[in-house]
Amino acid sequence: MTDDALDPDVRGPDTIRTRKRGIWLLKNPATNKGLAFTPEERDRFGLHGLLPPTTQSIEQQVELEIEHIRAKSDDLEKYIGLAALLHRNEVLFYHVLVENLQELMPIVYTPTVGEACQRYSHIVRDMRGIWLTPDDVGRIPDRLRNYPYQDIRLIVVTDNERILGLGDQGAGGMGIPVGKLALYVAGAGIHPSKVLPVSLDVGTNNPALLDDPLYIGHRERRLDGEAYDAFVESFVKGVGAVFPRAVVQWEDFHKRNAFRILDKYRRRLPSFNDDIQGTAAVAVAGILAALRITKQPIDEQRVVFMGAGEACTGIAQLLASAMREAGASPETIRASRLVFDSRGLLREGAEIDDPHKRAFAAPRDVLAHYGLDALEAPTPEDVIRRVKPTVLIGATAAPGTFRRTMIEEMARHVERPIVMPLSNPTSKAECSAQEAIAWSAGRALVAAGSPFADVVHDGTRHVIGQANNVFVFPGVGMGIVLSEIREVDEAVFLVAAHALAGCVSEARLGQGALLPDASELRAVSARVAAAVVRHASERRIGRRFADDEVERCVAAASWYPDYVPIVAA
C-alpha cells in the first residue's frame, strides 16, 4: 500500500506518486505490477535485477492467474490462491475478478467464503482491514488512523456472530467484510483505497475456536449487554471522527443486535444492514421480475415466509412498501404475509419474544378469513392449503425446511409458484432448485440464495437465478456515496429493487431466471447506483444532479482495474 496522499475521488488516483523504490514497490500490493513494470519504470525505480527480463501485459498476467486458479484442486484452495493474489498485486486481482465474475464470484464470496470463515485461523496468510477488540475502547480513533488510507468512503463491519448460516465464527468472520468489499470494488468500481473491512472482535462463544491453540481472535467469551453497546458506540464515534464521509454497512450481526443497532445509528451516520435491507431488495426484485412472467400485479401476491429473522422480516417489510406503492390497502397488506419462526406461525395472541417479529403476527381477523383461527398449531401445509400463496420464501439456514408436500400443495393452487430458498451456503438451502422444479411439475419460478446449476425437467431447461445481495449492495453503496445521503431509508432499497428487476432481460425471463447473470454485475450495479442517485436528487435528500447527468457521473466514478503510471514523489 502506498503511504502517499490519495486522490479524493471515489474512482481513485490516475497516477501513483511514491518515494519507494525497488523491492518495496514489489512488496506493496497497491504499487506492484510484477512483470508489467515497463523498462522505463524499471530504470526509474531500481527494479532491474529484481525481475526477469520479460515484460508482460496485464492481459497475459490475467491469463496466467486464471491458469493457476483453475489448476487448484478444490474451491477452498482457489479461495486461498485468490487471497494471495490480492495481497500480492491488488490491480491484477481485481482485473482477474472483473473479467471472470461468473466463475470467481462463488469462490470470492458464497458459498466458498463460508468454509474459509470456518477455517480462517488456519488458512489466512495476510491480514487486511482493521481488527478491534474490547481492549481498544477509548482508543478506536487511533486504531483507525493506523490504516494507510484515510479517505475511506465505505466500511463493511461485522461482529462475527451470525456468519451466513453458520453462526458464530469469531475472528474468522472477517472473511465476509473482505469478500463483500472485493465485490464492491469489482461490481461498482469503488476504488480499493476507499473501502475498509472492520472486525469488531468481541470474543466468541464457539467452543471449537476457544479450544483451538492457533485461533487468531480475542480469546474470551462474547461481550454482551452494556459493555457490548459501549464498544459499538466507541466504534461509531471513531468512524465519525476519522472517516466522516464513510457509509457503514452492518454485516452478519445476530438479530438481537442487528435491528436495534440499525435503528440506533441510521440517523447518526449513513448506514444500512445488508442482511435486512439488501436481502429484502434482491428478494423483492426477484418477485417483481417473476411477475413480468406471470403478468400479475404485486398487490395481489400472497406470501408465506419460513423464518422470521433479519432476512424474512426485512423482505416482508419491503414487500409491504412495494404493495403500498402499487395502491394496496392496509387490509390487503395485512392479509398478504404469513410468517413462521422456529416455534410456528406468528399470530396474534401467541407469545412472541423477539420484538422485531411482533409486527408480523397474523391478526385474528386474517386468521379467520383464511379459516386458520380454529387450528391450534397450523403447519406450513395447513397455511398453504388455505392461503394459496403465490410466493414461498425461506431464510432459516435449515435444509429440508421446504418439504415436498408444501410445494406440491402450493402448485395445486398456483400456475407458476415463486419459490425462494434463500439460505446460504448451499448446504443450508431450504431445498434445492431441482427439488423445487420437480415437486411443482416444472412450473416453479425459482431464485436461490446460493448458486445452483440449471435444471432440466421433462426436456425443458430452467435457469436458476441467484438471489445474491451482490446485485444490490455494490450499487446501493456507490449511489449513497455519490449522492451523500445522510440517512438511508427503506425507500432507497425499494428503488434498488425496481432497478434490479428491470435489469433481468426478456431472454433470461424466458428461461425462468428471476435475476441477472453474474457476468452482468458491473452493468447492474451502475443501473442500481444511478437509480439511488436520481432518487436522492429528486427528493432532495442528497446532492443534486441534473437528470441527464446521472448515468455519466456514475460511470465517471467507477474504477476499472488497470495499471496507472507510477512517478517519483
Side-chain angles (χ1 to χ4, degrees):
M1 294 181 181
T2 179
D3 57 352
D4 303 287
L6 295 164
D7 189 298
D9 290 339
V10 177
R11 186 173 182 167
D14 294 324
T15 301
I16 295 177
R17 296 183 178 276
T18 182
R19 296 183 294 273
K20 300 293 179 62
R21 290 175 54 80
I23 193 69
W24 301 111
L25 290 183
L26 299 177
K27 293 296 184 182
N28 182 342
T31 58
N32 183 24
K33 300 182 182 182
L35 293 179
F37 277 111
T38 66
E40 294 77 17
E41 288 172 327
R42 298 182 192 203
D43 285 338
R44 189 180 312 128
F45 293 105
L47 294 169
H48 284 295
L50 301 178
L51 293 167
T54 299
T55 300
Q56 291 181 335
S57 68
I58 195 169
E59 289 76 19
Q60 289 175 306
Q61 291 180 310
V62 168
E63 183 180 351
L64 280 170
E65 292 300 334
I66 282 294
E67 180 181 301
H68 298 160
I69 294 302
R70 289 173 180 166
K72 301 289 185 182
S73 59
D74 60 39
D75 286 348
L76 185 62
E77 287 299 318
K78 293 178 182 181
Y79 176 95
I80 293 169
L82 283 167
L85 176 60
L86 175 60
H87 291 290
R88 185 173 73 248
N89 185 330
E90 206 167 60
V91 171
L92 181 56
F93 166 82
Y94 283 112
H95 201 110
V96 169
L97 182 56
V98 167
E99 295 300 322
N100 299 275
L101 268 168
Q102 187 170 27
E103 178 180 353
L104 298 182
M105 198 165 73
I107 307 299
V108 172
Y109 201 58
T110 56
T112 308
V113 75
E115 185 179 0
C117 289
Q118 290 175 303
R119 300 178 60 183
Y120 205 76
S121 293
H122 293 263
I123 66 169
V124 67
R125 306 294 197 267
D126 295 280
M127 305 302 166
R128 294 185 73 81
I130 291 289
W131 304 71
L132 300 172
T133 75
D135 295 336
D136 296 311
V137 170
R139 295 176 289 184
I140 287 180
D142 294 336
R143 302 295 184 260
L144 296 177
R145 290 188 184 100
N146 285 338
Y147 201 63
Y149 301 125
Q150 291 295 293
D151 183 28
I152 297 299
R153 303 296 183 88
L154 204 144
I155 295 170
V156 177
V157 57
T158 184
D159 75 347
N160 311 298
E161 188 170 9
R162 204 230 62 175
I163 299 301
L164 303 176
L166 303 171
D168 185 346
Q169 297 303 314
M174 186 57 136
I176 299 297
V178 170
K180 285 218 162 176
L181 286 171
L183 296 176
Y184 266 110
V185 175
I190 300 178
H191 193 270
S193 66
K194 310 298 179 183
V195 302
L196 173 63
V198 176
S199 171
L200 301 182
D201 186 354
V202 296
T204 178
N205 293 338
N206 185 330
L209 297 178
L210 292 173
D211 291 341
D212 182 355
L214 298 179
Y215 176 57
I216 65 173
H218 185 61
R219 199 180 293 272
E220 299 287 346
R221 298 281 295 177
R222 194 167 267 282
L223 201 68
D224 59 13
E226 293 182 2
Y228 175 90
D229 291 343
F231 182 49
V232 175
E233 174 70 18
S234 181
F235 166 72
V236 169
K237 287 180 177 177
V239 169
V242 181
F243 305 129
R245 302 182 73 181
V247 177
V248 172
Q249 177 180 317
W250 305 102
E251 182 67 29
D252 285 351
F253 286 72
H254 192 279
K255 61 189 177 184
R256 70 173 176 279
N257 293 318
F259 291 98
R260 64 188 189 85
I261 286 174
L262 180 62
D263 290 341
K264 181 175 181 179
Y265 293 113
R266 67 194 309 170
R267 293 171 184 83
R268 282 181 51 184
L269 78 169
S271 59
F272 63 95
N273 185 304
D274 188 52
D275 303 302
I276 300 170
Q277 297 160 293
T279 301
V282 76
V284 170
I287 294 170
L288 292 170
L291 297 182
R292 290 167 55 192
I293 298 173
T294 65
K295 310 300 183 185
Q296 295 176 341
I298 187 74
D299 55 347
E300 292 183 6
Q301 303 312 300
R302 299 172 303 282
V303 187
V304 169
F305 292 91
M306 300 302 295
E310 296 154 83
C312 281
T313 55
I315 297 166
Q317 185 167 316
L318 192 65
L319 186 61
S321 295
M323 296 177 73
R324 195 176 301 114
E325 180 185 64
S329 67
E331 292 75 23
T332 296
I333 294 171
R334 286 169 63 230
S336 68
R337 305 164 301 165
L338 285 94
V339 181
F340 282 83
D341 70 358
S342 59
R343 299 164 71 176
L345 179 66
L346 298 183
R347 54 198 296 182
E348 187 178 352
E351 183 179 352
I352 301 175
D353 295 331
D354 296 321
H356 73 274
K357 297 180 182 179
R358 292 169 189 157
F360 302 99
R364 288 188 175 89
D365 63 322
V366 169
L367 295 171
H369 172 74
Y370 289 124
L372 293 167
D373 52 330
L375 299 180
E376 183 176 344
T379 66
E381 286 85 352
D382 291 331
V383 171
I384 291 169
R385 189 174 302 114
R386 289 164 171 78
V387 174
K388 300 178 176 59
T390 56
V391 185
L392 176 65
I393 295 176
T396 61
T401 295
F402 288 179
R403 297 185 288 269
R404 179 173 188 153
T405 50
M406 293 166 59
I407 293 178
E408 286 181 340
E409 185 64 43
M410 192 179 179
R412 287 191 184 96
H413 307 289
V414 179
E415 179 61 28
R416 301 301 304 270
I418 301 167
V419 180
M420 293 186 170
L422 298 181
S423 292
N424 58 61
T426 311
S427 62
K428 301 291 184 179
E430 286 72 20
C431 73
S432 70
Q434 186 171 6
E435 288 170 332
I437 297 293
W439 295 341
S440 64
R443 291 187 280 116
L445 297 168
V446 182
S450 292
F452 279 97
D454 297 350
V455 175
V456 177
H457 181 85
D458 283 349
T460 299
R461 180 175 298 278
H462 301 258
V463 176
I464 310 302
Q466 188 181 0
N468 190 324
N469 294 16
V470 74
F471 291 121
V472 171
F473 66 77
V476 166
M478 174 65 96
I480 296 168
V481 168
L482 292 180
S483 59
E484 297 181 358
I485 297 173
R486 298 312 303 169
E487 181 183 338
V488 186
D489 62 13
E490 189 176 77
V492 167
F493 289 91
L494 185 54
V495 165
H498 280 295
L500 174 55
C503 291
V504 186
S505 68
E506 292 297 327
R508 280 186 67 78
L509 288 177
Q511 298 171 316
L514 306 184
L515 280 306
D517 186 79
S519 63
E520 303 172 74
L521 178 59
R522 281 183 75 94
V524 169
S525 297
R527 187 162 170 179
V528 170
V532 171
V533 169
R534 185 169 280 113
H535 166 79
S537 179
E538 290 174 350
R539 285 154 185 78
R540 300 177 182 270
I541 59 174
R543 292 176 59 197
R544 299 297 304 280
F545 289 85
D547 190 66
D548 60 354
E549 291 181 349
V550 171
E551 279 75 16
R552 180 182 61 79
C553 290
V554 170
S558 182
W559 175 70
Y560 183 82
D562 214 342
Y563 296 128
V564 299
I566 299 177
V567 299

